[in-house]
Amino acid sequence: MSAHQAGLSAHQYDAGRNGGGFSDCHEHGCSHVANLYQRLLPLVRRTWERGDRPVFTNVWYVAARSEDLQDKPLKVRMLGCDFVLYREPGGKAVCLSNVCPHRGGSLAHGKCKDDGSIACPYHAWSFNGEGKCTQIASRRDEDPQDVAPGVKIDAYPTEEKYGFIWAFLGDEPENAAPIIEMPEFDDDGFRSTTTHSEVWETNYHWAKFSNLDLVHLPVVHGIKFQNQDNPDSPPPFELTEHDDGFDLVYYPSTSRPRKGGEWDKIRDSDEAKKVESRMKFRVAGISLYGKVEIGGVGSGMHNVFYEFSTPIDDQTTAMYYIFFRNFMLQPELDEEHLKRNLMQARQDKAIAEAQQPRIAPVGPDPNGLYTYDEDSEIRLYWNLMGSMRERGWQIDRKAWAEALAAGHYRAIPSPVRKKDPKGWVHDEVPRYARGTTFAAAE
Ligand code: FES
Ligand SMILES: [Fe+2]
């Protein structure tokens, strides 16, 4: 992404109160970016007023926790479509569109077969992990391609990593942003909690924002920024932009509210201590990573979280978590570790589920009310979403709603479809044309 697309300087910069964001850009002679932005603002607003609902294909999403997929097929709703997950006899996870092309049976209610295919519960047509129809039960001695020429189903690439099953929901896996690295997973110095999942009744952008900004930390979680004049104002932070996300690091002084339990022993006093706090956002998995040196700088005690968000539809989000620590490694403390971290998720969930409108307004600053410094991450987030939209990956919800109202099912396109675009019973979900920007008239 170019600096001007991003509306921010592409180099590493300090986006805290002492400079950054557009102010930083001004210093480098880029004030026209701010002017352009102001000119585009009404268009951005108008885009939202037209009911835009950004949900993207061509992204790796967490489809389930590994432990949730055993020997039975699992129906999973993502991006407003239905999918079936199942395991081949060797254990490999398969992800297919759940809607049988024959007469719309739900494959997830069918049976896994020894040859690695799944049989539809209605007339037992079978499909394998490549989306190929391998058998039609009533004509078992005939080639399915002779009986129903061209019959097939969308099949999506999968990976099983870090205790989760990931599915690539799109038709351009070669352009996929990579799944985030999780070095703590194989590091004996770290101990993880179990994976955790829950459903939030909110749009996935709202859900993600609940942890992306720093200003909410003192307000929602009671983590005050101390040893400075205003405990509600985050200290300067440094943002680094990448093609598929951004990193943030800052060093707030915090004291930890005492809540009882072993966790209180992390600090020997109530005195505020400077901590190192790192955060990463990555598009794949709509992933957020946080690493806080919880015992204070130099303590070497790190609490780490990974949070993944999968849109079930545009108003409901599946949230997945795993937490790590490299201190208090006794297994009996796992529960408290999970509880402490989920306590914050509870607070974020309450905020996100009560937010209006139900779907987050689109664009880097839809109402012109964002503060340029503290809201830098939200702007970077929308810039990333904007670049996916420009690549033609955003679902056109309005066109899709019309198709649904007319009684049609639509499937998320897969690599199988891209390779063999003809003869599909269910057309693919409509998407915006390549080159559409958030500011473009629709
Ligand atoms: S509906 Fe699936 S086999 Fe007939
Ligand atoms: Fe939060």
Side-chain angles (χ1 to χ4, degrees):
M1 183 189 297
S2 75
H4 285 184
Q5 268 177 302
L8 293 162
S9 52
H11 59 270
Q12 200 174 44
Y13 62 96
D14 173 0
R17 285 179 306 146
N18 300 329
F22 284 118
S23 337
D24 190 43
C25 210
H26 290 166
E27 280 165 26
H28 292 79
C30 299
S31 59
H32 62 282
V33 175
N35 294 337
L36 179 68
Y37 175 75
Q38 288 304 327
R39 279 212 319 276
L40 291 177
L41 197 53
L43 282 170
V44 174
R45 284 187 186 140
R46 208 178 312 147
T47 304
W48 162 242
E49 283 157 13
R50 286 179 181 145
D52 198 2
R53 300 172 169 200
V55 176
F56 296 95
T57 60
N58 284 316
V59 175
W60 281 101
Y61 290 104
V62 171
R65 300 183 308 158
S66 292
E67 67 182 67
D68 292 334
L69 186 62
Q70 303 288 336
D71 53 354
K72 299 253 181 325
L74 186 67
K75 184 174 167 185
V76 179
R77 194 163 175 78
M78 295 180 281
L79 318 189
C81 285
D82 290 333
F83 301 85
V84 57
L85 298 180
Y86 70 90
R87 290 189 188 277
E88 291 176 345
K92 187 185 181 313
V94 170
C95 179
L96 303 177
S97 166
N98 189 51
V99 183
C100 178
H102 177 225
R103 216 174 291 161
S106 163
L107 294 184
H109 293 84
K111 283 199 177 65
C112 297
K113 293 167 65 175
D114 291 344
D115 64 357
S117 66
I118 187 166
C120 177
Y122 200 175
H123 313 97
W125 291 28
S126 300
F127 299 90
N128 70 12
E130 278 82 54
K132 190 174 166 205
C133 182
T134 52
Q135 191 179 62
I136 291 177
S138 59
R139 306 276 196 95
R140 71 168 48 139
D141 297 328
E142 294 175 56
D143 182 339
Q145 291 306 317
D146 293 337
V147 181
V151 65
K152 53 200 169 266
I153 197 159
D154 281 293
Y156 306 88
T158 62
E159 281 209 38
E160 190 152 8
K161 265 185 150 176
Y162 315 133
F164 298 98
I165 292 164
W166 299 73
F168 180 76
L169 302 184
D171 52 358
E172 295 181 37
E174 65 281 9
N175 294 323
I179 295 169
I180 194 167
E181 296 289 323
M182 198 183 277
E184 299 84 5
F185 195 80
D186 297 314
D187 184 337
D188 289 342
F190 279 87
R191 185 171 175 84
S192 75
T193 62
T194 51
T195 53
H196 175 80
S197 66
E198 56 188 48
V199 173
W200 287 19
E201 297 293 332
T202 190
N203 171 248
Y204 77 107
H205 303 298
W206 280 144
K208 207 74 229 171
F209 294 170
S210 72
N211 259 335
L212 265 186
D213 81 6
L214 303 180
V215 180
H216 89 295
L217 292 172
V219 183
V220 177
H221 304 306
I223 302 170
K224 296 283 182 187
F225 303 117
Q226 299 185 359
N227 299 339
Q228 58 178 41
D229 283 349
N230 183 353
D232 288 329
S233 182
F237 53 92
E238 188 177 279
L239 270 174
T240 310
E241 202 177 343
H242 303 285
D243 284 347
D244 66 333
F246 51 85
D247 299 349
L248 179 148
V249 61
Y250 76 126
Y251 295 86
S253 288
T254 62
S255 57
R256 301 195 57 76
R258 303 219 160 234
K259 293 177 178 149
E262 289 297 304
W263 228 239
D264 285 353
K265 295 182 187 157
I266 291 170
R267 300 263 184 102
D268 49 13
S269 76
D270 288 339
E271 204 184 304
K273 278 191 181 167
K274 188 186 248 197
V275 301
E276 181 185 89
S277 183
R278 292 186 177 273
M279 212 160 86
K280 287 180 191 176
F281 171 76
R282 292 293 182 271
V283 162
I286 313 295
S287 304
L288 192 64
Y289 154 92
K291 182 176 188 182
V292 180
E293 198 171 10
I294 197 168
V297 169
S299 69
M301 298 162 76
H302 294 282
N303 184 55
V304 176
F305 74 84
Y306 290 84
E307 176 198 82
F308 309 112
S309 305
T310 305
I312 294 172
D313 53 37
D314 53 18
Q315 295 197 38
T316 324
T317 306
M319 301 289 279
Y320 296 93
Y321 299 90
I322 185 167
F323 304 98
F324 296 88
R325 65 183 189 276
N326 67 347
F327 56 91
M328 295 185 176
L329 296 175
Q330 307 91 303
E332 59 272 23
L333 294 180
D334 288 357
E335 208 180 307
E336 185 171 353
H337 185 202
L338 186 64
K339 205 172 95 194
R340 287 281 179 154
N341 279 283
L342 287 180
M343 206 183 283
Q344 292 205 355
R346 288 291 81 69
Q347 293 164 331
D348 288 326
K349 182 174 189 254
I351 295 283
E353 290 189 338
Q355 268 174 289
Q356 292 286 356
R358 296 296 298 147
I359 296 162
V362 169
D365 188 357
N367 301 311
L369 287 176
Y370 289 2
T371 50
Y372 284 131
D373 294 336
E374 295 95 316
D375 287 322
S376 313
E377 307 98 281
I378 306 294
R379 284 205 317 278
L380 286 186
Y381 176 93
W382 280 119
N383 289 335
L384 287 160
M385 299 298 136
S387 71
M388 291 202 285
R389 179 177 168 113
E390 284 178 36
R391 299 179 87 165
W393 294 352
Q394 185 183 331
I395 294 171
D396 181 342
R397 303 286 302 191
K398 248 190 290 179
W400 190 9
E402 281 163 23
L404 287 174
H408 304 298
Y409 185 77
R410 293 284 182 260
I412 300 292
S414 68
V416 183
R417 189 183 285 259
K418 181 138 194 170
K419 215 164 116 197
D420 180 9
K422 294 219 176 89
W424 291 85
V425 170
H426 305 118
D427 285 347
E428 64 180 61
V429 293
R431 291 181 286 182
Y432 286 116
R434 218 170 260 270
T436 308
T437 64
F438 277 129
E442 288 154 13

